[in-house]
Every structure is written in structure tokens, then in C-alpha cells.
Amino acid sequence: MRKFIYVLAIIVVFGIASCSKSMSQYDKEIDRAEKMMRSNTDSALSMLDAIDPSELRVDSLRAKYHFLKGYAHMSRNRSMIGDSLIRYAHDYYRDKDIVRDIRSGIVFAWYKFWVGDISGALGMLDSLAALPNVPDSIMVQTLRTRVLLGASEYQGKPLIPYAKRLYKLETDTMRKIESRYMLLAAYEYAGETDSALYLVDELIDYARNNNWGNKHFMFELERAQLLTENGRSADSDELIDEIFRKAGADNGAADLLHFQYAINALNSGNVGRASRHLALADSLAVKLRGEDNAYFRSYSNLLHAIIDFKQSGRIKLTHINGLNNRQTERFNRMKASQWESERGALHQQNRALALKAESEHKTVIILVISLVGLLALAAASWIIIIRRQRERENEERIEALQKMVDDYKSAPVTRESEIAGSSALRNAMLKQIGIIKMVAETPTEQNREMLRKISSIDGEIDGELVDWGNVFGMIDNLYSGFYTKLHDKYEDVLSLKEEQIIVLMVAGFSTKEISVITGQTTSTIYVRKSSIRKKLGVPEKEDIVQFLQSQHMS
């Protein structure tokens, strides 16, 4: 039985423990996701998606979880609509961990950019870039993001110092080239074309010296556009002619080169030449870019409207509509992308809720099983307590019986008529006690041994362990009619069981002996004694027998 209880207790404890993960388990899972993110961001995201953030009860775990999830979305250029709690992570790491403080701030800025708060995103990055004593390896990440977002918003002068600072901090060659190109864009947006031309010449020389064919081509095209911006349309045309001679008439940027020809022609006042090059650019864009030429057409329609105005002196609504449609198309694509991102975020939230519901369902099942187990454990414990109590009571009865038997066997052999006093009553009652019946009710090995010891004693009485009529008669004979006086005086007050207890107390039997003879537990005897005391009005500290004797009962 004990083994069963121990096993049940272990099962219950295990069931309760398995209802929810410990915070140390969550910490290990998040750490594994962080390590996985360096090599496989998608797998890391899957590991994070399997965690219910509402179960993270420790601030450090919640901050790490939301930071890593937002960082993964930013790295994969995915929707950050659902990463609003990156704010919580950034607030947590502030003044605690400079590395995570900066990186969570970068992620927070990307979140602001995703939700349309461009000024907030740039302001956040500006504040991070102004922090002192930041390691270069961390600051360079901030500057890259700041320059990238600034360029996407066509910033000019505000972007130049960040681009210069980024160039100084970059250590990788390709990264330095990228930062140089971003500085070129900043100069161009700021209208500082001379500085931009100086930089593009550096980039062209570097690309030529390192045999970067594609990069060289791209930088040459950039230089042609800068020459146009600088008012040097003829120089721009010469450079485009040189590009066509080197790359051929059907190169991959032919549409853009003819488009630049058209701009140069317009700036020179040659509208007819501009119209021819623009028409050629349109046809090449369809051929080279197929359906993905919406970006080109957004510029082409504007140039068509200008050319038509130059030729006819009026603006055609069709070109304005075309320009508007291109902008609307771009806007719709952007909104569709945002809706898709929001749908993806909702899908992730629904998946998280489904995982949580599944986890809660399992938890309820485990809790029900655990509750049943606890109830079974409590019932088993109660049964054991009752059994042990009965065993103790039986042991007390056996001890009392053994003492009575020993007293009987050690008494001198005399005729019953010659026995006087309480010993005569004890001997007579001992013969009447239903020992065999009691032992049969509790057939332990100890009781069987007891039977062997007292096998010569008989006197089993049907229904009762003793013949109470004879007992009451002997009490009257030995104690001057005590039972008769007691019964006559308190017949309406005392019950039969209480009368039996009183006469045995008068005869000098102990509580254990009384419990054996009456077939009641010792606790029951104590309860009945308290009842007798109340019914007879016996003071709390006075003995019941002495009280009755003072009432002339004997």
C-alpha cells in the first residue's frame, strides 16, 4: 500500500510540474534560438514562435524574447507590425547592457519605420548615434541603419556627417565602398554635385582597378546623371556615347541611358531629339524589364508630359493620368505589401494563440489527472490513518486482555463462592467476555497467539461480550446495591451504555479494560465519560466515582 502511495505521489508531482515550463527551460530555449539566429534566422524564428510570451514571468526573459524576435524580422526584412513590444525590450536594456541597448534601439527604429513613423525612426537613430563610449563594432550598425533610412527619405545635408562617420568606422572593403556610395547619394540629394562627382570618379577608378565590370558600369551611369545635374549635358552625352561603345547598344541599362539622353536633349532645348530617345527608352524598358517596368514608367510619363507641353504648349490629361496611375500603382503595391505584412503578423498571432490554447488544454487535462491523483492520495492516506488508529485500539484492547488474562491465571484456585471483592467480579467477568468473538473480528497473528494462551477460558455470550444481567447483579452484591440505586435515580438521564461504564468504573476497571469489555473504542469511552459528567453535574476536576459515592450510592 505504501509503495502504491509513493508511486502515486511521484506521478502527481510530475504531472503538476509538467503543466508549465520553468523559467530556466524558457531561458535555454531562447538562448538556443539566439545562437541559431546567426546561421539560420528562419529556424530561430520558428523556435521563438513556439514560445508563448505570456508565460514569460521574468522581465529579462520577456525583454530577450521580444528583442530577438524583432531583430530576426529586421534581419529578414519581414513585417514588424506585430513587434510593438520591442519598446519594452529597449526600455529594459537601457543603462543595463550597452550592446543590447543599442541593438534593441535599432530594432525599435525599424519598427517605427514599418508603421510609418519616419521622423520617429530617424530621431531614435540620431539619439543612438550620439551616445558616448559606444564600441565601434556596435556604433557602425547604428550608422548603417541611419544612413540607409536617411537615403530612402532622400535626405541630403543631414545625412552627410553620418555617411562620413560610417566610412571611417567601416573595416571591410565592400562595406567601405557601400558607405562611400551612400555619401555620394547624400551629396547628390544635397545639391553638392561637385563633391558627388569627385566621389563617383574615385569609385570608377576603384572599380576599374579591381575589374568590377558591373560596378564600373553602374558608377559610369551614375557619373552621367551627375554631369546632367551639374548642368554639363554635353559631357553627359559624351560619357553615354562611350558607355554604348564599350557595352553595346543592347546592354542591360540601355533604356536608362536613352532616358538620360532625353533629359540632356530637353535641357539643351532639342525637344525632337528628346522625344525620339524617350520613345526608344520606353520600348527598351518593355523589352528589358517586362511587366516590372512600373518604376521606369513613373519617370517616363512625367518626361512625356514635359515634351508634349514643349511641343504643343498644353498639357495632356492622359500623361497626367498616366503619372497619377503609376503613383497610385506604387501606393497600392505598398499598401498590399503592408496588408500582407499585417496578415502575416495576424497569422503569427493566431498561431501563437492556437499553441497557447493547445497548451492550456493539455494543462487542464494534466491538472484534472493530478487532482484525481491527489484525491486518491488523500483517500488512501485517510484509509491508512483509520487503519492505524484501529490497529492502535486493537493493540490497546489486546494489552488490556492480556493483563486481565494474566491476573486471572495468577489468582489462587478457589471456589467462586469464596471469592470476595473486586477480584471475584474480575474473574467472573473474564469468563464471560467474548474473547473468541473479538479475535475473530481481527484475525492477526498476535490475536491467534492470544487465543492459544486463553483457549481454556469460555463464556461467549450471544450478542454481548458479557452477561450484563449477571454483572449488574454482582455489582449490587459487592457494592451495596450500587447498580439498582444508580438505575432508579438516573434511569431517565443515563443510557444503558453509560450505566455499563459507570458500574465498571466503580469496580475499578481502567478505560482500556472498559473498552474491551463493552466493545467500544477508548475514544468513545472518553466521550461517554464527558457525557456522564455533564448529565450528572459532576464538577470538572472531581472524580465521577467519588462524586457518586458522596451521593450515598454505595
Side-chain angles (χ1 to χ4, degrees), residues 4-21:
F4 169 75
I5 292 175
Y6 293 151
V7 171
L8 184 60
I10 292 172
I11 293 174
V12 170
V13 171
F14 177 78
I16 295 175
S18 63
C19 288
S20 59
K21 296 179 182 177

Side-chain angles (χ1 to χ4, degrees), residues 448-479:
R448 294 190 185 97
E449 182 65 24
M450 177 67 69
L451 273 178
R452 286 192 288 270
K453 289 182 179 180
I454 58 175
S455 60
S456 61
I457 303 176
D458 58 4
E460 182 178 1
I461 304 299
D462 292 336
E464 293 282 351
L465 295 179
V466 297
D467 185 346
W468 286 105
N470 291 339
V471 171
F472 294 150
M474 284 186 285
I475 290 293
D476 279 342
N477 290 332
L478 292 171
Y479 297 98

Side-chain angles (χ1 to χ4, degrees), residues 40 44 70 78 119 190 216 230 233 242 275 294 297 343 382 439 524 538:
N40 192 330
R78 293 184 180 177
S119 60
H216 187 193
N230 201 31
S233 296
E242 184 180 353
S275 180
R297 284 183 288 130
R343 189 175 71 173
W382 176 254
V439 173
T524 302
V538 181

Side-chain angles (χ1 to χ4, degrees), residues 105-125:
I106 294 172
V107 178
F108 191 18
W110 266 105
Y111 167 75
K112 287 176 174 288
F113 181 79
W114 263 94
V115 298
D117 184 9
I118 308 300
S119 60
L122 295 176
M124 170 68 70
L125 293 168

Side-chain angles (χ1 to χ4, degrees), residues 224-459:
Q225 293 171 349
L226 285 172
L227 287 171
T228 300
E229 292 295 318
N230 201 31
R232 298 162 59 184
S233 296
D235 292 338
S236 176
D237 282 344
E238 289 181 7
L239 181 56
I240 295 172
D241 291 341
E242 184 180 353
I243 293 173
F244 271 122
R245 283 194 299 271
K246 292 178 180 178
D250 57 349
N251 64 77
D255 56 339
L256 299 178
L257 293 170
H258 282 288
F259 186 82
Q260 194 65 41
Y261 269 142
I263 294 176
N264 292 337
L266 275 177
N267 289 333
S268 303
N270 192 339
V271 179
R273 182 170 179 266
S275 180
R276 291 192 300 272
H277 278 292
L278 185 58
L280 187 56
D282 287 341
S283 63
L284 288 171
V286 174
K287 177 182 176 181
L288 294 174
R289 310 187 189 283
E291 296 180 357
D292 191 27
N293 66 339
Y295 182 76
F296 176 84
R297 284 183 288 130
S298 65
Y299 287 94
S300 175
N301 283 327
L302 176 61
L303 210 59
H304 275 294
I306 295 173
I307 291 172
D308 286 344
F309 179 76
K310 289 281 188 179
Q311 291 175 335
S312 63
R314 58 192 180 87
I315 296 176
K316 291 184 179 180
L317 187 59
T318 54
H319 292 306
I320 300 298
N321 288 337
L323 179 62
N324 180 67
N325 290 340
R326 297 291 79 75
Q327 296 297 330
T328 302
E329 183 179 344
R330 291 183 64 194
F331 175 78
N332 290 338
R333 287 189 178 186
M334 182 183 68
K335 292 299 293 184
S337 176
Q338 183 177 354
W339 289 336
E340 183 66 26
S341 299
E342 292 176 355
R343 189 175 71 173
L346 289 174
H347 176 71
Q348 292 178 358
Q349 292 176 1
N350 289 336
R351 185 169 179 269
L353 289 173
L355 289 173
K356 182 178 180 180
E358 181 180 354
S359 176
E360 290 178 348
H361 180 67
K362 291 180 180 178
T363 300
V364 169
I365 293 175
I366 293 173
L367 286 175
V368 170
I369 294 174
S370 301
L371 180 60
V372 172
L374 284 173
L375 291 175
L377 180 62
S381 301
W382 176 254
I383 292 172
I384 288 176
I385 292 172
I386 296 299
R387 285 189 176 182
R388 286 183 177 177
Q389 183 177 353
R390 289 178 179 176
E391 288 176 0
R392 285 195 298 269
E393 291 173 352
N394 289 333
E395 289 173 359
E396 292 175 355
R397 288 186 181 186
I398 291 169
E399 181 182 352
L401 283 170
Q402 184 65 57
K403 184 175 182 299
M404 294 167 69
V405 170
D406 292 341
D407 290 345
Y408 172 73
K409 289 186 175 180
S410 63
V413 180
T414 57
R415 292 191 303 273
E416 187 171 329
S417 59
E418 297 175 353
I419 300 174
S422 61
S423 61
L425 180 61
R426 285 175 175 269
N427 292 337
M429 291 178 63
L430 182 59
K431 291 180 180 180
Q432 297 181 36
I433 291 175
I435 299 174
I436 297 177
K437 178 179 178 182
M438 190 198 73
V439 173
E441 292 175 351
T442 312
T444 63
E445 185 61 34
Q446 190 175 11
N447 286 358
R448 294 190 185 97
E449 182 65 24
M450 177 67 69
L451 273 178
R452 286 192 288 270
K453 289 182 179 180
I454 58 175
S455 60
S456 61
I457 303 176
D458 58 4

